[in-house]
């Protein structure tokens, strides 16, 4: 696994919900070539309350999430330094804020450079996944990390919900572009005065917190309406001995359901420890038996409970069978977690790993009657090529290609 993916996986394990890496060239006051941006969302019930008025609970979470972010970026700094690189976490105690209420290197600037989102008409970061209901932090490094695609202009379009609902009427309805001054979007002093006024009135605490503009954001509303399964933080990991119990549980659930266990290699025949050893061995071409191919095995792990939701295997090249029937990628989701969108997410996260292997396009196949798998492939940019008859199982299989060089979603977190 590359340093970039290893770092991202590590930050997700530490609790980040979003991670992006940005090119910091040309950013004022920044001597570092690369910035890493992380985000964590506010709980939904806290956001719902903010639609009425600021609350004491929001203030508590404001500080609680800032502390969590400090821990995440500090861990990221240590991770990079242990590997011989320079790194600097921009924790709350290190952020320098001038008399104009501007920090030297705003977290929002790092976040847009890292592709996490754009600056909305509320002058806050807007993410596709959580709207503006996030707290963010950043760290800087000289490590040779791969940069995600930056976002350089607003995607708010004609929406004016935050502008209309701003208690201070401080928002100007401006569509942001990279390099734009904050004052073109918001009257900062009017905003701060009103925040302090309504926070004091609602809670008795004299501080500048409001939250109304991000609580009513249309992208935040999408987050509020999503199910808990859709919100779950999951990551692809190479399964090792730490996951022995979870691998066995996954295997037993698949066997009891009579599932085909696609994308799991020899797990059906082997116990977890033997399977883990085989996976490591067969990542290298020189170690695989005749007529087999080298492959990389991943498990899709839900972080909150460390449950393995699915498995996905990336084959590095073809043999005769894979070229016609099996394709580059095989995957399975355990029966209790199906129809929750995990297959789509798992495949999406696997595609950048395919590109890292040097693949320019990947073949994925599914049984003709498997509408769910077909939907997953299409959602990730699959283009139908043909249908073939697989004689060993006596069924027809659909073949789809995904062009990794044209798939714009590969750089998204």
């Amino acid at each position: 696994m590359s340093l970039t993916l290893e770092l991202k996986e590590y930050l997700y394990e530490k609790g980040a919900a979003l991670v992006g890496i940005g090119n910091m060239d040309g950013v004022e006051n920044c001597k570092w070539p690369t910035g890493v941006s992380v985000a964590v969302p506010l709980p939904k019930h806290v956001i719902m309350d903010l639609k009425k008025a600021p609350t004491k609970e929001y203030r508590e979470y404001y500080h609680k999430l800032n502390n969590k972010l400090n821990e995440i970026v500090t861990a990221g700094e240590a991770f990079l330094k242990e590997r011989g690189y320079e790194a600097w976490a921009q924790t709350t105690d290190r952020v320098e804020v001038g008399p104009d209420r501007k920090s030297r290197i705003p977290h929002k600037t790092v976040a847009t450079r890292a592709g996490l989102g754009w600056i909305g008409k509320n002058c806050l970061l807007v993410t596709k996944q959580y709207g503006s209901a996030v707290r963010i932090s950043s760290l800087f490094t000289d490590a040779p990390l791969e940069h995600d695609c930056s976002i350089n202009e607003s995607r708010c379009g004609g929406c004016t919900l935050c502008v209309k609902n701003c208690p201070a009427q401080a928002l100007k309805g401006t569509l942001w572009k990279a390099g734009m001054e904050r004052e073109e979007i918001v009257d900062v002093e009017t905003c701060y005065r009103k925040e302090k006024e309504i926070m004091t009135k609602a809670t008795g605490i004299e501080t500048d917190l409001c939250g109304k503009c991000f609580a009513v954001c249309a992208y935040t509303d999408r987050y509020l309406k999503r199910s808990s399964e859709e919100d779950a933080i999951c990551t692809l990991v190479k399964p090792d001995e730490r996951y022995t119990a979870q691998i066995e549980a996954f295997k037993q659930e698949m066997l009891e359901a009579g599932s085909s266990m696609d994308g799991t290699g020899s797990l059906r025949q082997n116990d977890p420890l033997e399977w883990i050893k085989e996976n490591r061995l067969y990542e290298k071409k020189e170690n695989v038996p005749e007529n087999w191919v080298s492959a990389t095995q991943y498990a899709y792990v839900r972080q909150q409970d460390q449950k393995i939701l699915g498995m996905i295997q990336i084959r590095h090249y073809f043999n005769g069978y894979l070229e016609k029937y099996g394709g580059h990628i095989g995957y399975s989701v355990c029966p209790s977690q199906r129809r929750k969108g995990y297959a789509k997410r798992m495949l999406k996260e696997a595609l950048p790993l395919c590109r890292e292997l040097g693949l320019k396009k990947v073949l994925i196949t599914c049984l003709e009657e498997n509408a769910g798998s077909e939907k997953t492939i299409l959602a990730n940019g699959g283009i139908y090529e043909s249908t073939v008859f697989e004689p060993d199982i006596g069924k027809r299989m659909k073949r789809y290609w995904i062009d990794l060089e044209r798939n714009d979603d590969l750089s998204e977190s």
Side-chain angles (χ1 to χ4, degrees):
M1 185 181 295
S2 71
L3 178 65
T4 300
L5 292 174
E6 192 179 356
L7 174 63
K8 284 187 174 183
E9 181 179 309
Y10 181 74
L11 294 174
Y12 284 128
E13 288 177 356
K14 290 298 179 181
L18 300 174
V19 180
I21 299 173
N23 184 340
M24 299 302 291
D25 287 351
V27 174
E28 188 177 4
N29 300 320
C30 187
K31 66 177 183 179
W32 301 89
T34 297
V36 181
S37 180
V38 298
V40 293
L42 280 157
K44 293 180 179 180
H45 73 278
V46 174
I47 302 165
M48 292 297 294
D49 290 342
L50 289 175
K51 292 186 177 184
K52 302 172 186 175
T55 63
K56 291 182 179 180
E57 189 175 23
Y58 170 47
R59 180 173 179 268
E60 291 170 4
Y61 268 100
Y62 182 93
H63 295 293
K64 185 184 296 185
L65 294 182
N66 281 352
N67 290 336
K68 181 178 180 179
L69 287 163
N70 284 344
E71 293 173 2
I72 293 170
V73 295
T74 299
E77 176 186 298
F79 175 93
L80 291 166
K81 285 184 173 179
E82 286 169 4
R83 285 153 181 79
Y85 303 105
E86 293 296 320
W88 189 78
Q90 193 170 217
T91 51
T92 51
D93 60 317
R94 291 177 172 178
V95 172
E96 300 177 34
V97 180
D100 57 356
R101 302 184 190 271
K102 290 182 180 179
S103 58
R104 283 179 58 80
I105 312 175
H107 292 314
K108 291 186 290 187
T109 299
V110 186
T112 60
R113 287 289 183 116
L116 291 196
W118 60 96
I119 306 304
K121 293 178 183 177
N122 54 12
C123 206
L124 300 174
L125 181 75
V126 182
T127 68
K128 185 174 67 174
Q129 298 89 339
Y130 303 105
S132 291
V134 292
R135 299 297 302 158
I136 56 177
S137 188
S138 54
L139 67 96
F140 305 101
T141 182
D142 63 358
L145 302 175
E146 297 173 33
H147 296 150
D148 293 304
C149 294
S150 63
I151 298 179
N152 300 313
E153 60 183 24
S154 174
R155 298 180 183 178
C156 293
C159 180
T160 57
L161 284 172
C162 61
V163 178
K164 292 176 180 176
N165 284 277
C166 174
Q169 293 297 292
L171 302 177
K172 302 177 181 180
T174 309
L175 285 170
W176 167 83
K177 290 185 178 180
M180 182 177 286
E181 291 294 327
R182 181 180 61 178
E183 286 71 22
E184 295 182 56
I185 302 173
V186 60
D187 183 330
V188 176
E189 293 306 319
T190 298
C191 174
Y192 274 95
R193 285 196 300 271
K194 193 65 175 182
E195 281 183 316
K196 186 172 290 188
E197 175 190 324
I198 62 176
M199 182 67 177
T200 304
K201 182 178 180 181
T203 68
I205 301 170
E206 190 174 342
T207 189
D208 51 344
L209 287 176
C210 173
K212 185 69 173 286
C213 62
F214 72 75
V216 300
C217 171
Y219 282 91
T220 301
D221 191 56
R222 294 180 191 178
Y223 161 50
L224 294 176
K225 291 176 179 177
R226 288 204 309 266
S227 67
S228 57
E229 288 86 1
E230 291 174 307
D231 283 337
I233 301 172
C234 307
T235 53
L236 286 175
V237 301
K238 288 184 180 180
D240 58 28
E241 289 77 6
R242 294 174 298 171
Y243 296 98
T244 302
Q246 294 96 317
I247 294 166
E248 183 61 34
F250 174 88
K251 176 180 177 178
Q252 290 306 314
E253 185 174 344
M254 296 290 282
L255 291 174
E256 289 170 8
S259 296
S260 60
M261 298 182 69
D262 296 326
T264 65
S266 64
L267 182 58
R268 181 185 291 273
Q269 295 82 25
N270 287 331
D271 67 60
L273 289 175
E274 286 299 318
W275 178 74
I276 290 166
K277 291 177 184 176
E278 185 177 281
N279 290 337
R280 289 179 180 145
L281 189 66
Y282 291 174
E283 278 194 39
K284 296 183 178 180
K285 185 176 182 178
E286 59 267 25
N287 295 332
V288 300
E290 187 177 357
N291 296 323
W292 287 37
V293 302
S294 58
T296 306
Q297 181 70 54
Y298 291 97
Y300 199 50
V301 179
R302 185 168 57 202
Q303 291 198 8
Q304 67 189 57
D305 57 4
Q306 292 294 289
K307 181 179 177 64
I308 293 178
L309 307 177
M311 297 278 191
I312 190 163
Q313 184 186 67
I314 303 171
R315 296 102 187 204
H316 303 171
Y317 51 93
F318 287 149
N319 58 19
Y321 180 85
L322 294 175
E323 187 172 17
K324 191 167 185 180
Y325 305 115
H328 287 100
I329 299 174
Y331 58 87
S332 293
V333 174
C334 62
S336 64
Q337 303 300 318
R338 291 173 185 168
R339 291 176 289 278
K340 297 179 180 180
Y342 290 133
K344 175 184 172 182
R345 292 170 59 183
M346 181 168 64
L347 178 57
K348 179 179 180 179
E349 292 182 32
L351 294 178
L353 301 172
C354 296
R355 188 165 60 185
E356 191 174 83
L357 288 168
L359 298 171
K360 295 183 178 180
K361 61 179 182 177
V362 291
L363 173 67
I364 308 180
T365 66
C366 66
L367 293 175
E368 189 174 44
E369 67 266 25
N370 192 340
S373 188
E374 181 179 29
K375 185 177 179 181
T376 293
I377 297 167
L378 291 170
N380 280 283
I383 303 298
Y384 173 75
E385 182 200 69
S386 62
T387 300
V388 296
F389 181 76
E390 212 281 51
D392 290 344
I393 60 174
K395 293 186 177 182
R396 290 162 61 84
M397 302 192 74
K398 289 187 170 183
R399 294 163 47 90
Y400 291 86
W401 288 93
I402 297 177
D403 187 340
L404 302 180
E405 296 184 317
R406 298 183 62 185
N407 192 326
D408 293 335
D409 287 336
L410 295 184
S411 62
E412 296 186 12
S413 300

